[in-house]
Amino acid sequence: MDQSLWQPTPQQIADANITAFMRRVHESGGPLCRDYAALHHWSITQPADFWRALWDFCGVIAAHRGDRILEQPQSMPGARWFPDARLNYAENLLRAAKQVPLGGAAKQVPLGGAAKQVP
C-alpha cells in the first residue's frame, strides 16, 4: 500500500518539535537536515553528536551529564547512552507539571474521546 493514511499540513510540519530540533542542530553547527530521512541518517552515522544535541534540545535536567555520550555503540542491544550522567528520572518526567499555572484546570478526556481528537 503506497497511499498514506495521513499527511501533516505544512503548518503542522513547521510547528513540530522535530522541525525545531533540526533547525537548532543546524544553527549550532550541526548538519542541515531538511527532512526525517536526513535526520535519521545523521543519527545513525554520528550517534554521539545526535544524542548530545537531543539532550541539549530537550533540556534534560541533570547534576552531571558526563563527557561520554555513547559507550559500546556497536553493541545493540548493549550500548549505553550517557553512562556517566547523574539525573533524577522523576524530576525530568514531572517538570512539565511545574509549568501548569496554579489553579490551572485539568481536563479529563475519556479514551474514546481522545481518539476522536486525532485527525
Side-chain angles (χ1 to χ4, degrees), residues 3 26 53 81 94 98 103 110:
Q3 186 176 358
H26 183 63
W81 282 264
L94 297 172
K98 296 177 186 176

Side-chain angles (χ1 to χ4, degrees), residues 85-107:
R86 298 294 170 256
L87 59 95
N88 182 318
Y89 187 70
E91 180 181 18
N92 281 276
L93 290 177
L94 297 172
R95 72 177 168 182
K98 296 177 186 176
Q99 298 171 3
V100 174
L102 190 59
K107 181 178 179 185

Side-chain angles (χ1 to χ4, degrees), residues 35-111:
D35 56 21
Y36 178 81
L39 182 65
H40 177 257
H41 178 76
W42 178 54
S43 77
I44 60 174
T45 58
Q46 301 293 320
D49 292 340
F50 172 83
W51 287 102
R52 182 182 298 109
L54 190 62
W55 172 293
D56 293 341
F57 178 78
C58 292
V60 175
I61 302 167
H64 180 69
R65 175 170 69 188
D67 294 328
R68 295 184 301 160
I69 305 302
L70 181 56
E71 184 178 81
Q72 300 176 335
Q74 69 284 357
S75 301
M76 295 285 185
R80 294 182 60 213
W81 282 264
F82 305 99
D84 303 314
R86 298 294 170 256
L87 59 95
N88 182 318
Y89 187 70
E91 180 181 18
N92 281 276
L93 290 177
L94 297 172
R95 72 177 168 182
K98 296 177 186 176
Q99 298 171 3
V100 174
L102 190 59
K107 181 178 179 185
Q108 291 187 354
V109 179
L111 184 57

